Amino acid sequence: MATFEPGRVVLSFMVRDDEVTAAAVSCQRPDIAHLLNGRQAAQVVATVPLIYSLCGKAQDVAARAALAAARGSPVEAYVDPEVQSEAAREHAWKLFVDWPRQFGLPPDETLFVQSVRAASSERADLARLLAAHELPASLAGALGDTEIDRLLRRCIAARVSALADWLMGRQQALGTVTATSPSAGVGIATVETARGTLMHRLTLDGDEVADYVIIAPTDVHFAPGGDVADWLQRLKGARKAEAKQQASRLAMAFDPCVPWSCEFS
């Protein structure tokens, strides 16, 4: 298989006299159909999770569900425990390792590892540790009162809530899988991940893949005219240093699954 590049996100600003005059976002993603079309369906489904480094389990489950639906076996909505655990791991990583480092706070790698490795019988104790832990409050306290800061503060709270629900075994949408077939040979699967809804659309020609489309949450949030583009418009008139800081926090809030950068011209 050809070398796979996951793509990148660029937040770009035009600046005049140290003031932002325009802002835009671009999301460059690979042509997955070019890599997968014409291959045997079983080979494609086995390959998809190998070429996506993040949310590999969600990608695997979505691919298999889409293929099942395309073959005439739709998948009724259910919660996949491995997908849910993968999403919970993403939440714990952001809250206790990644985001604290970005704010210059000491991470708690021990709690992150405990969260990942805990048996079901141990999770309630970890939920109590989470409720009393100072890092989520410290992260929220490091933010100001701009619209983007308030957005990120809500994202912190949402991740804490989702992680607590998983640790306590409470019902939630995270990890929900479903797949339908709108027409013969076509399967559409959706999976609820840590970043949002992942969608796979697979079209068969016999036992070969005729077309494959993957739309990840990053593709939606960082599309031109999408959520991030709308938020960026609020930075017009900001000073360059402020725009750079706020762009970083906006990227944290929407959490792209590919590398991202901020560019000024």
Side-chain angles (χ1 to χ4, degrees):
M1 177 165 291
T3 301
F4 181 82
E5 296 292 339
R8 65 193 295 258
V9 163
V10 178
L11 308 182
S12 57
F13 297 90
M14 291 186 64
V15 178
R16 294 292 180 271
D17 299 324
D18 198 42
E19 185 175 294
V20 172
T21 59
V25 59
S26 65
C27 182
Q28 303 160 13
R29 298 286 268 165
D31 183 0
I32 191 71
H34 178 72
L35 295 174
L36 301 178
N37 290 0
R39 298 178 180 272
Q40 291 293 306
Q43 179 189 15
V44 167
V45 167
T47 300
V48 165
L50 301 178
I51 59 180
Y52 284 94
S53 59
L54 291 177
C55 298
K57 175 51 66 174
Q59 297 282 359
D60 176 48
V61 169
R64 296 183 185 282
L67 178 58
R71 286 175 168 170
S73 299
V75 178
E76 293 188 7
Y78 76 99
V79 174
D80 187 288
E82 291 186 82
V83 173
Q84 199 171 63
S85 294
E86 179 180 69
R89 183 168 63 247
E90 283 285 315
H91 290 326
W93 172 257
K94 292 296 176 183
L95 291 169
F96 297 111
V97 182
D98 185 28
W99 286 354
R101 286 175 176 168
Q102 293 193 52
F103 278 99
L105 298 170
D108 190 341
E109 296 178 1
T110 299
L111 184 57
F112 165 70
V113 172
Q114 288 176 332
S115 299
V116 170
R117 296 181 177 176
S120 298
S121 59
E122 302 170 329
R123 290 176 185 165
D125 290 335
L126 285 172
R128 285 187 282 273
L129 288 176
L130 171 64
H133 205 287
E134 63 183 14
L135 264 179
S138 295
L139 288 169
L143 297 167
D145 196 39
T146 69
E147 289 183 295
I148 291 175
D149 285 345
R150 293 196 295 271
L151 169 68
L152 181 53
R153 192 175 284 113
R154 291 194 296 272
C155 290
I156 293 168
R159 285 185 183 264
V160 171
S161 178
L163 180 58
D165 285 345
W166 177 73
L167 289 170
M168 292 300 295
R170 292 191 284 258
Q171 186 176 1
Q172 59 176 318
L174 206 61
T176 301
V177 182
T178 188
T180 60
S181 179
S183 58
V186 178
I188 299 176
T190 59
V191 179
E192 297 304 319
T193 75
R195 292 173 175 82
T197 303
L198 170 68
M199 190 276 287
H200 283 217
R201 186 179 191 277
L202 181 154
T203 303
L204 291 175
D205 181 6
D207 202 39
E208 292 185 352
V209 171
D211 189 39
Y212 206 124
V213 176
I214 296 177
I215 300 178
T218 294
D219 301 315
V220 176
H221 295 318
F222 291 87
D227 295 329
V228 172
D230 179 60
W231 280 95
L232 284 175
Q233 301 315 304
R234 307 179 193 204
L235 295 178
K236 289 181 180 178
R239 296 296 183 185
K240 179 179 178 180
E242 180 188 1
K244 185 175 182 180
Q245 179 202 66
Q246 292 293 291
S248 175
R249 293 178 180 180
L250 186 61
M252 291 170 68
F254 285 98
D255 193 21
C257 61
V258 295
W260 74 276
S261 62
C262 189
E263 299 181 354
F264 293 87
S265 61

